[in-house]
Amino acid sequence: MEMDPWGSELVDYSKLFSEFGMQRMDEGGVEKAVQILNRSRLFRRGIIFAHRDFGKFIGDWENGKPIVAMSGIKPTGEFHLGSKLTADELIFMQKSFGAKIFYSVADLEAYADNGQALSESNKNAVLNVADLLALGLDPKNAHVYRQSEKKEVLRLANLFARKTTMATLKAIYGERGIAIYLSVLNQAGDILLPQLPEFGGPKSVVVPVGADQDPHIRFTRDIAQKFEEEFGFKVPCATFHKFFRSLNGETKMSKRDQMNVMTLSDDEGMLKKKIANALTGGRATAEEQKKLGGEISKCVIYELMLFHFYEDDSELKKMHEDCTGGKILCGECKKMRLEAISRWLKAHQEKKKKNITKAESMLTDD
Amino acid sequence: MEMDPWGSELVDYSKLFSEFGMQRMDEGGVEKAVQILNRSRLFRRGIIFAHRDFGKFIGDWENGKPIVAMSGIKPTGEFHLGSKLTADELIFMQKSFGAKIFYSVADLEAYADNGQALSESNKNAVLNVADLLALGLDPKNAHVYRQSEKKEVLRLANLFARKTTMATLKAIYGERGIAIYLSVLNQAGDILLPQLPEFGGPKSVVVPVGADQDPHIRFTRDIAQKFEEEFGFKVPCATFHKFFRSLNGETKMSKRDQMNVMTLSDDEGMLKKKIANALTGGRATAEEQKKLGGEISKCVIYELMLFHFYEDDSELKKMHEDCTGGKILCGECKKMRLEAISRWLKAHQEKKKKNITKAESMLTDD
């Protein structure tokens, strides 16, 4: 079983524990914080389903030590539901555990991987950070930066290169160009940045990622160990979430497939069109559906509400019951969910607009 | 014929014109400035013997446009005669052509290539820059920096990576680790840095290098062309000097062979020992030498005076005549040259001491 962090293949999660050594959420010390974690729909609903060493982060939190949650974005477009999911987890960590947030706008990766000019990335970066703020990020306990402006990250990448063999890079990432390998080193720099003396030294850092990003995590954990003596790095922890499917249900949601990705900037017309085309678990005929209920495990609309748009479990439960009990048909159901999502999006877009100036200043100050 | 910029093999210079397309000093527009150039012993004596596009630099100088001369050092030790030679050329360009000097302390390369910690590099950097100042660099028209602190260089390296294939790197540098390839990209960043908008935009930049460094130059010239559209880069020019032999005459002078390198920090005792052991062109017997004269082309001591320590051509001419005319034996000759070199070194070391604080502040300010 291979995992390709740049691919969009769906993965059999059960193998991740046995073959890749991820830990379950009820082990490794994480269980101690279950009550707090379950305040987040992501943990409560098993969307975040595995981790590496997250118990150490929880332990440091218990002991009042400084903790960091970090992530980043390749600024090639607007926030979509995948970027939102990671952001939601970061913001939860900030609110509920007092974690400081580090967020890297990986403009150099956008150049390496997509050839996107840094100036273009900078425009998107402002929008992305405004999304973060609108989702609830507290700018006072956060450090947001562009990779191309962060010499500490680029310097770390250079240092890490000396203890990274081509064979390792090929084994994890396949035959790639030097720009992609350099992106990998930069990303390790982003993850380990919060532990530099400039940022208060070694500490527990958790990185929320999709399960398919585990190769990056394992690579960075190896690097942290190799540079333990020099920097005192703690091995970074990670939480893993299931990834959200594309709206047609066929692959992981990706920016590369515009009509099958939902972005936080979609307007009502676009949203309507996308929901109309999204995959459901509808049966062949209305009659059959009323009799057997919908196949909800296939339904992307249900996933939308489960992952993102119903905070309240009772609303979700009702949707589930109505569907599987055959009480509602897909057309009517879609209409209801469209309304809920549309309301959420409008409110979000309002908040986002108000945060553009703040986002600009956060990116300039860094 | 292969040229290895990290090796220490001696090279047959004549092939550089036919096989590698270097230009002679009397062609390509350089001849227009011959009178000024010949004020420098390096040009006058043919130590700088070839170039690429240096005529364009001369042309821009004639037209009053901004020009830059740049170089750098891997700060793994004290200045030796090779570092001095490059520095002498830079300082000449600054004094006689008004060129602004850029000088990169390649601490990341020292880490990549030698595993030397950045803190250690920083100590050496201060000494190296103090040498530069003692040799006559005017700090007011110079920009000296450490690679690890210069985000613009590291950013350029990342951008350049995208248009650099592994095949190219392998063809020029052989199978190397990613850290070494990254050093190559950083060095291209150093060379093109002076043309960034932050430093006034595109301009003629000359890089004085040993002939064996031509692969770096050709690589960077290719990169400049690939990024011409994005940054308006002019293709950088280069001058090439013959390299100085190790004191035993066997290889290129290299820091790796401590007793065969002369550093600008050698004390009198060390200098004496090194001169005593240095290769000369002495004959088998005194009698034979008086009859046939010394084989001056083999003599490293003569090279020392030719390259470095006799500014005055008449002194050099006398040394040549006395040797080849059999008027002086190697022992007596060495004694005279030792005195001259020792005097020069002492004066230099005095000046250097007075420049330590200035060197520190130049490296901190950047």
Side-chain angles (χ1 to χ4, degrees):
Chain A
M1 180 176 169
E2 273 187 47
M3 292 180 66
D4 172 5
W6 283 286
S8 53
E9 293 303 302
L10 296 173
V11 163
D12 174 359
Y13 293 115
S14 64
K15 292 193 180 165
L16 297 175
F17 301 104
S18 54
E19 293 189 18
F20 286 92
M22 288 184 190
Q23 295 168 282
R24 292 174 196 276
M25 294 313 288
D26 58 3
E27 61 185 10
V30 175
E31 62 282 5
K32 289 186 291 185
V34 66
Q35 281 192 320
I36 298 181
L37 290 172
N38 281 348
R39 288 183 205 157
S40 154
R41 68 178 192 284
L42 300 174
F43 286 96
R44 190 169 71 232
R45 295 177 186 165
I47 295 164
I48 297 168
F49 70 103
H51 70 95
R52 289 189 190 276
D53 279 346
F54 184 42
K56 294 184 179 168
F57 174 93
I58 296 293
D60 276 1
W61 163 73
E62 275 190 323
N63 294 317
K65 294 184 182 163
I67 46 175
V68 161
M70 81 74 59
S71 186
I73 190 167
K74 198 171 73 173
T76 47
E78 292 271 8
F79 254 44
H80 60 60
L81 293 182
S83 353
K84 173 178 178 292
L85 200 151
T86 304
D88 283 344
E89 183 176 344
L90 290 182
I91 291 162
F92 172 72
M93 295 292 180
Q94 188 186 44
K95 285 213 166 92
S96 303
F97 293 89
K100 177 160 185 171
I101 305 306
F102 278 67
Y103 199 80
S104 167
V105 177
D107 54 356
L108 289 177
E109 188 177 335
Y111 185 80
D113 204 10
N114 308 71
Q116 179 174 288
L118 299 185
S119 54
E120 188 61 25
S121 282
N122 202 22
K123 284 181 211 160
N124 289 333
V126 172
L127 299 172
N128 295 162
V129 175
D131 271 317
L132 265 183
L133 292 167
L135 288 169
L137 184 81
D138 175 3
K140 287 192 296 299
N141 197 25
H143 185 67
V144 175
Y145 62 90
R146 281 175 283 160
Q147 239 178 13
S148 67
E149 293 288 334
K150 192 53 83 187
K151 69 179 172 193
E152 292 86 352
V153 168
L154 307 184
R155 184 196 296 148
L156 281 178
N158 271 273
L159 301 182
F160 297 165
R162 182 171 160 91
K163 296 192 185 169
T164 303
T165 65
M166 286 288 187
T168 302
L169 291 167
K170 275 181 203 166
I172 306 180
Y173 300 100
E175 287 271 2
R176 303 274 179 163
I178 186 152
I180 293 293
Y181 290 157
L182 195 40
S183 292
V184 170
L185 294 166
N186 287 335
Q187 193 168 73
D190 281 329
I191 294 174
L192 293 166
L193 177 75
Q195 298 197 56
L196 289 185
E198 296 90 316
F199 299 99
K203 59 178 69 66
S204 281
V205 177
V206 65
V207 192
V209 292
D212 56 321
Q213 301 296 308
D214 190 41
H216 290 310
I217 296 295
R218 281 180 287 151
F219 174 75
T220 305
R221 286 166 59 92
D222 282 348
I223 289 282
Q225 283 169 320
K226 285 180 183 158
F227 285 83
E228 200 274 336
E229 200 181 334
E230 207 160 335
F231 291 100
F233 287 144
K234 292 190 181 192
V235 172
C237 352
T239 61
F240 299 101
H241 53 256
K242 296 180 179 170
F243 43 72
F244 199 85
R245 287 182 293 164
S246 62
L247 296 177
N248 62 11
E250 282 172 13
T251 61
K252 171 180 154 188
M253 187 169 276
S254 158
K255 290 181 210 175
R256 291 170 209 237
D257 182 6
Q258 301 268 340
M259 276 314 290
N260 278 302
V261 65
M262 184 181 297
T263 82
L264 301 197
S265 56
D266 284 348
D267 62 22
E268 194 157 1
M270 179 60 84
L271 179 68
K272 213 168 174 173
K273 208 180 289 176
K274 285 180 178 175
I275 293 286
N277 289 327
L279 180 73
T280 67
R283 303 282 179 178
T285 63
E287 199 169 310
E288 201 180 321
Q289 183 148 350
K290 281 176 193 168
K291 204 171 104 194
L292 300 172
E295 295 184 278
I296 201 161
S297 64
K298 291 185 182 167
C299 180
V300 172
I301 304 290
Y302 181 68
E303 248 172 56
L304 280 174
M305 308 319 284
L306 174 82
F307 275 62
H308 288 285
F309 297 108
Y310 279 154
E311 270 304 334
D312 188 339
D313 288 350
S314 63
E315 285 182 295
L316 198 68
K317 197 176 164 210
K318 179 154 190 347
M319 177 177 180
H320 195 282
E321 285 173 356
D322 287 353
C323 172
T324 55
K327 289 184 211 156
I328 192 168
L329 294 184
C330 294
E332 189 191 343
C333 180
K334 276 186 170 177
K335 205 177 147 206
M336 283 175 66
R337 314 314 161 194
L338 173 63
E339 268 175 37
I341 298 173
S342 182
R343 216 178 308 128
W344 189 96
L345 274 187
K346 262 186 207 155
H348 175 80
Q349 289 166 6
E350 284 297 313
K351 276 184 260 176
K352 180 177 174 180
K353 247 188 235 162
K354 290 179 192 149
N355 277 298
I356 293 286
T357 313
K358 179 71 195 165
E360 278 168 345
S361 78
M362 283 180 81
L363 285 163
T364 320
D365 289 353
D366 110 70
Chain B
M1 178 177 173
E2 272 186 48
M3 292 181 68
D4 173 6
W6 283 287
S8 53
E9 293 302 302
L10 297 171
V11 163
D12 175 0
Y13 294 116
S14 64
K15 293 194 179 164
L16 296 177
F17 301 105
S18 53
E19 293 190 18
F20 287 91
M22 288 183 190
Q23 295 167 282
R24 291 173 196 277
M25 295 312 289
D26 58 4
E27 60 185 9
V30 175
E31 63 282 4
K32 290 185 292 186
V34 65
Q35 283 192 319
I36 297 181
L37 290 172
N38 281 348
R39 289 182 203 156
S40 155
R41 67 179 192 285
L42 300 173
F43 286 97
R44 188 169 73 233
R45 294 176 187 165
I47 295 164
I48 296 166
F49 70 101
H51 70 94
R52 291 191 188 274
D53 279 345
F54 184 43
K56 294 186 180 167
F57 173 95
I58 296 293
D60 276 359
W61 163 73
E62 277 190 323
N63 294 319
K65 293 186 184 164
I67 46 176
V68 161
M70 81 73 61
S71 186
I73 190 169
K74 196 172 72 171
T76 48
E78 293 270 9
F79 254 46
H80 60 58
L81 294 181
S83 351
K84 174 179 177 290
L85 200 148
T86 305
D88 284 344
E89 183 175 344
L90 289 183
I91 291 161
F92 172 73
M93 295 291 180
Q94 188 186 45
K95 284 212 167 91
S96 303
F97 293 90
K100 175 159 189 174
I101 305 306
F102 278 67
Y103 198 79
S104 167
V105 177
D107 54 356
L108 290 177
E109 188 176 336
Y111 185 81
D113 205 9
N114 307 71
Q116 179 174 290
L118 299 185
S119 54
E120 188 62 26
S121 283
N122 201 23
K123 286 181 207 159
N124 288 333
V126 172
L127 299 171
N128 295 161
V129 175
D131 271 318
L132 265 183
L133 292 167
L135 288 169
L137 183 80
D138 175 2
K140 288 192 295 295
N141 197 24
H143 185 66
V144 175
Y145 61 91
R146 283 175 282 159
Q147 238 177 15
S148 67
E149 292 288 334
K150 191 54 85 191
K151 70 179 173 193
E152 292 86 352
V153 168
L154 307 184
R155 185 196 296 146
L156 281 178
N158 271 273
L159 301 183
F160 296 166
R162 182 170 160 94
K163 295 192 187 170
T164 304
T165 65
M166 286 288 185
T168 302
L169 291 167
K170 276 182 202 165
I172 306 181
Y173 300 101
E175 286 273 1
R176 303 274 180 164
I178 186 152
I180 294 294
Y181 289 157
L182 195 40
S183 292
V184 169
L185 294 167
N186 286 335
Q187 193 168 74
D190 281 328
I191 294 174
L192 294 167
L193 178 75
Q195 299 196 56
L196 290 185
E198 296 89 315
F199 299 99
K203 58 178 69 66
S204 281
V205 177
V206 66
V207 192
V209 291
D212 56 322
Q213 302 296 309
D214 190 41
H216 290 310
I217 297 296
R218 280 180 287 150
F219 174 74
T220 306
R221 285 164 59 91
D222 282 349
I223 289 283
Q225 282 168 318
K226 286 181 183 160
F227 285 82
E228 201 273 335
E229 200 181 333
E230 207 160 335
F231 291 100
F233 288 143
K234 290 192 180 189
V235 173
C237 353
T239 62
F240 299 99
H241 53 256
K242 295 179 179 171
F243 43 75
F244 198 85
R245 286 181 295 163
S246 61
L247 295 176
N248 63 11
E250 282 171 13
T251 60
K252 171 182 155 187
M253 187 169 278
S254 158
K255 291 180 208 175
R256 291 170 208 235
D257 182 6
Q258 300 268 340
M259 277 312 291
N260 279 301
V261 65
M262 184 180 297
T263 82
L264 300 197
S265 56
D266 284 347
D267 62 23
E268 195 156 3
M270 179 60 85
L271 179 67
K272 214 168 174 176
K273 209 180 289 176
K274 286 179 177 175
I275 294 287
N277 291 325
L279 179 76
T280 69
R283 301 283 180 177
T285 64
E287 200 168 309
E288 202 182 321
Q289 185 150 351
K290 280 175 193 167
K291 205 172 102 193
L292 301 171
E295 296 184 276
I296 201 160
S297 65
K298 291 185 181 169
C299 181
V300 173
I301 305 289
Y302 180 69
E303 248 174 55
L304 279 174
M305 309 319 283
L306 174 82
F307 275 62
H308 288 285
F309 298 108
Y310 279 154
E311 271 303 335
D312 187 340
D313 288 351
S314 64
E315 285 181 296
L316 198 70
K317 195 174 166 211
K318 182 157 188 346
M319 177 177 180
H320 195 281
E321 285 173 357
D322 287 353
C323 172
T324 55
K327 289 183 209 154
I328 192 168
L329 295 183
C330 294
E332 188 191 344
C333 179
K334 275 187 171 178
K335 205 176 145 206
M336 284 176 66
R337 313 315 161 196
L338 173 63
E339 269 176 34
I341 296 172
S342 183
R343 215 179 307 127
W344 189 95
L345 273 188
K346 263 186 209 155
H348 175 78
Q349 288 165 8
E350 284 298 313
K351 274 184 262 175
K352 180 179 174 179
K353 248 188 237 164
K354 289 179 193 149
N355 278 297
I356 294 285
T357 314
K358 179 72 195 163
E360 278 169 343
S361 77
M362 282 179 82
L363 284 163
T364 319
D365 288 355
D366 110 68

